[in-house]
């Protein structure tokens, strides 16, 4: 399925694709997007977004980034970093830098270095959720049976609320989803 706004960024996507291909990367279609690999390892991906398009590095957290142009895709992003573009002109202006970053990303893959990721168990359970778990053995059992990633989705959703009242409300609304065995962002089965 093609992203509805992918056509909007076709020229920018094509320019980013050409830069990656010039760095001797192999292009594959993954997640419906042009992904660039080195020896079957993901190095970078071109992502059309609503208001821009991005070149995203899978191990961007390990890149030196002397120009300070790499950003996290989201607040909780650990490994990936991206650079957003809204014009071919902007891409062309950074073309040499993008090649340097791509070659460095290839070197990272050759070296075998890995990003040390924070484990889901490293995220503290918010007090409001912990109270519900302590009061309800069935809920605690269901929460413990969730995959680490699903537990993390609830922890982050509830923790991101600034006020205790909102955290408590979010925790209460999550109870049926936890009991059903799904993660916060999953649709009902």
């Amino acid at each position: 399925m093609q992203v509805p706004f992918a056509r909007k960024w076709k020229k920018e996507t094509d320019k980013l694709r050409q830069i990656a291909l010039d760095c001797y990367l192999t292009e594959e279609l993954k997640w419906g997007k042009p992904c660039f690999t080195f020896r079957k390892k993901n190095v970078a991906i071109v992502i059309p977004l609503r208001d821009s398009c991005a070149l995203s590095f899978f191990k961007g957290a390990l890149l030196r980034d002397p120009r300070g142009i790499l950003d996290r895709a989201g607040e909780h992003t650990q490994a990936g970093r991206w650079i957003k573009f809204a014009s071919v002109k902007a891409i062309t202006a950074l073309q040499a830098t993008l090649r340097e970053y791509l070659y460095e990303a290839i070197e990272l893959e050759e070296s075998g270095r890995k990003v040390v990721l924070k484990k889901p168990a490293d995220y503290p359970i918010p007090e409001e959720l912990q109270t519900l778990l302590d009061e309800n053995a069935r809920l605690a059992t269901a929460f413990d049976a969730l995959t680490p990633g699903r537990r993390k989705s609830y922890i982050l959703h509830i923790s991101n609320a600034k006020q205790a009242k909102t955290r408590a409300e979010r925790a209460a609304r999550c109870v049926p989803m936890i009991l059903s065995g799904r993660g916060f962002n999953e649709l009902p089965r």
Side-chain angles (χ1 to χ4, degrees), residues 25-138:
L25 290 167
T26 302
E27 182 177 22
E28 299 179 32
L29 192 64
K30 293 187 178 184
W31 308 285
K33 296 165 185 63
C35 183
F36 300 91
T37 62
F38 176 76
R39 295 187 182 153
K40 302 206 182 272
K41 300 283 187 178
N42 296 334
V43 172
I45 190 166
V46 176
I47 306 170
L49 303 165
R50 192 171 314 281
D51 299 322
S52 60
C53 105
L55 177 63
S56 182
F57 295 89
F58 287 91
K59 292 184 180 177
L62 297 178
L63 294 175
R64 288 187 290 268
D65 192 22
R67 306 258 322 251
I69 58 176
L70 295 174
D71 293 316
R72 288 178 179 214
E75 177 185 352
H76 301 290
T77 301
Q78 295 185 63
R81 297 292 184 272
W82 67 9
I83 308 166
K84 290 182 178 181
F85 296 98
S87 71
V88 172
K89 184 178 178 181
I91 296 168
T92 303
L94 282 176
Q95 190 166 314
T97 301
L98 296 177
R99 281 194 179 99
E100 289 172 19
Y101 283 39
L102 285 164
Y103 283 127
E104 183 182 349
I106 292 167
E107 287 174 19
L108 282 171
E109 282 307 324
E110 284 182 310
S111 74
R113 281 184 62 199
K114 304 233 183 269
V115 177
V116 178
L117 300 175
K118 191 173 180 181
K119 294 180 179 17
D122 295 339
Y123 293 90
I125 297 175
E127 181 181 324
E128 297 78 7
L129 177 58
Q130 189 62 58
T131 299
L132 292 176
L133 296 172
D134 292 343
E135 293 171 352
N136 184 334
R138 184 171 158 244

Side-chain angles (χ1 to χ4, degrees), residues 12 15 17 22 29 32 73 81 128 163 177:
E12 291 79 6
K15 182 69 173 172
R17 286 179 58 241
D22 288 347
L29 192 64
R81 297 292 184 272
E128 297 78 7
Q163 296 181 11
M177 293 185 289

Side-chain angles (χ1 to χ4, degrees), residues 108-186:
L108 282 171
E109 282 307 324
E110 284 182 310
S111 74
R113 281 184 62 199
K114 304 233 183 269
V115 177
V116 178
L117 300 175
K118 191 173 180 181
K119 294 180 179 17
D122 295 339
Y123 293 90
I125 297 175
E127 181 181 324
E128 297 78 7
L129 177 58
Q130 189 62 58
T131 299
L132 292 176
L133 296 172
D134 292 343
E135 293 171 352
N136 184 334
R138 184 171 158 244
L139 180 63
T141 301
F143 188 75
D144 289 341
L146 294 173
T147 64
R150 286 178 173 148
R151 285 193 299 269
K152 178 182 162 187
S153 71
Y154 289 109
I155 290 168
L156 293 178
H157 171 66
I158 295 165
S159 298
N160 284 340
K162 293 180 179 132
Q163 296 181 11
K165 178 183 173 192
T166 307
R167 287 191 299 274
E169 290 169 356
R170 285 184 180 187
R173 280 195 308 266
C174 290
V175 169
M177 293 185 289
I178 293 170
L179 291 172
S180 74
R182 61 188 163 115
F184 174 72
N185 295 313
E186 293 178 48

